[in-house]
Amino acid sequence: MAENRAILYAFWLSSCSWRVRAALHWKRIPFEERPVDIVKKEQQNTEEYRAINPHQKVPALVIDNETLVESMAIVQYLEDTRPEPALTPKSPLQRARMRELCEIVVSGIQPLQNVGLRPQFETTEQYTKFTRYWTDRGLQTLEDMLQKTAGKYCVGDQLTLADLCLLPQLYNAVTRHKLDISKYPTVSKLYESLLKEKVFQETHPQNLKSKI
Ligand SMILES: N[C@@H](CCC(=O)N[C@@H](CS)C(=O)NCC(=O)O)C(=O)O
């Protein structure tokens, strides 16, 4: 029923939004997506949105009569409250490997290429040079780590939160930052295979009804 549906405040091209969108799909949680344009920033910078997400970023998720922010806290909440189908390996070591990979993306790449950084640079060229450097450096790190952990997915043969972090960030690196990921063979292979997965097809920015 409509009133039971979760509400995802998101931007279609946002990698953090895609993580949560994919987790909702994976766990078959009904939700409605409400676009927040982080390029034009009109709604993002309102007091109304600040009441939803004090950080004034996306995503935010209204679920179980609560409003949650921070994509990793959100996906962990979904995993804790709706454990099946799982997005976390059972073994403590595999979990640690998954979290290592998540951190590289979530702390080591995404914040350093975020569109919200642009006003802090004098020129687009300076911003682009900065973001491409940190994204490329993160991709090299991921390649080294994935060579040891990857099977069909980032960690072995189970789709996990690491894949939910990796694929959107790679899509961003390829389409927005125009980075050549072919020099990272494990990363490229995962990119191609993850793109074909149903969960990513169904949540892919290009397949969304609203492109804001
Ligand atoms: N750590 C936060 C990062 C949120 C974030 O940076 N979101 C980006 C989109 S991926 C955003 O809203 N950028 C707009 C801005 O910084 O103004 C999370 O994982 O939710």
Side-chain angles (χ1 to χ4, degrees):
M1 282 187 291
E3 59 267 27
N4 291 331
R5 278 154 69 99
I7 300 169
L8 175 63
Y9 291 89
F11 181 65
W12 70 298
L13 280 175
S14 144
S15 58
C16 309
S17 302
W18 195 355
R19 286 172 207 158
V20 176
R21 189 187 300 124
L24 289 164
H25 265 262
W26 182 254
K27 290 180 177 291
R28 300 182 206 103
I29 301 167
F31 72 99
E32 170 197 337
E33 186 155 332
R34 295 206 184 150
V36 177
D37 193 327
I38 60 170
V39 177
K40 290 191 184 143
K41 293 181 177 289
E42 286 150 7
Q43 184 198 357
Q44 184 193 359
N45 286 343
T46 61
E47 284 305 309
E48 192 188 354
Y49 188 63
R50 192 166 159 210
I52 295 167
N53 187 345
H55 212 184
Q56 290 183 285
K57 295 184 178 195
V58 287
L61 184 72
V62 180
I63 191 165
D64 301 339
N65 299 315
E66 297 288 343
T67 302
L68 301 174
V69 298
E70 284 294 331
S71 63
M72 297 313 285
I74 296 172
V75 294
Q76 192 58 56
Y77 176 80
L78 299 179
E79 187 70 343
D80 291 343
T81 55
R82 286 115 171 131
E84 296 296 334
L87 280 167
T88 311
K90 289 224 169 359
S91 124
L93 181 60
Q94 297 288 72
R95 282 177 189 236
R97 295 291 177 225
M98 175 192 80
R99 290 186 185 120
E100 286 175 344
L101 294 164
C102 290
E103 283 298 325
I104 300 298
V105 174
V106 170
S107 308
I109 302 179
Q110 188 276 328
L112 297 166
Q113 54 79 71
N114 181 17
V115 71
L117 298 183
R118 171 62 190 92
Q120 305 308 317
F121 290 84
E122 278 180 16
T123 65
T124 301
E125 288 68 31
Q126 287 171 356
Y127 164 72
T128 306
K129 191 175 169 201
F130 180 89
T131 59
R132 283 171 62 98
Y133 170 79
W134 287 107
T135 305
D136 210 29
R137 189 166 162 184
L139 294 180
Q140 178 64 68
T141 310
L142 286 169
E143 175 62 30
D144 292 346
M145 293 171 74
L146 285 166
Q147 281 185 9
K148 299 187 187 111
T149 62
K152 186 177 174 201
Y153 299 106
C154 284
V155 182
D157 294 327
Q158 178 190 353
L159 186 124
T160 68
L161 295 176
D163 301 286
L164 266 50
C165 291
L166 182 75
L167 193 268
Q169 206 62 57
L170 292 180
Y171 179 72
N172 199 319
V174 171
T175 60
R176 188 155 79 88
H177 300 285
K178 312 284 181 223
L179 286 172
D180 173 19
I181 64 166
S182 66
K183 57 187 169 175
Y184 306 120
T186 318
V187 166
S188 310
K189 202 169 152 225
L190 277 166
Y191 181 58
E192 293 307 323
S193 61
L194 290 176
L195 269 181
K196 294 186 191 122
E197 289 283 332
K198 195 163 173 260
V199 64
F200 292 121
Q201 279 293 311
E202 289 183 352
T203 55
H204 194 292
Q206 295 298 344
N207 296 336
L208 297 180
K209 283 193 202 114
S210 172
K211 303 273 193 295
I212 53 166

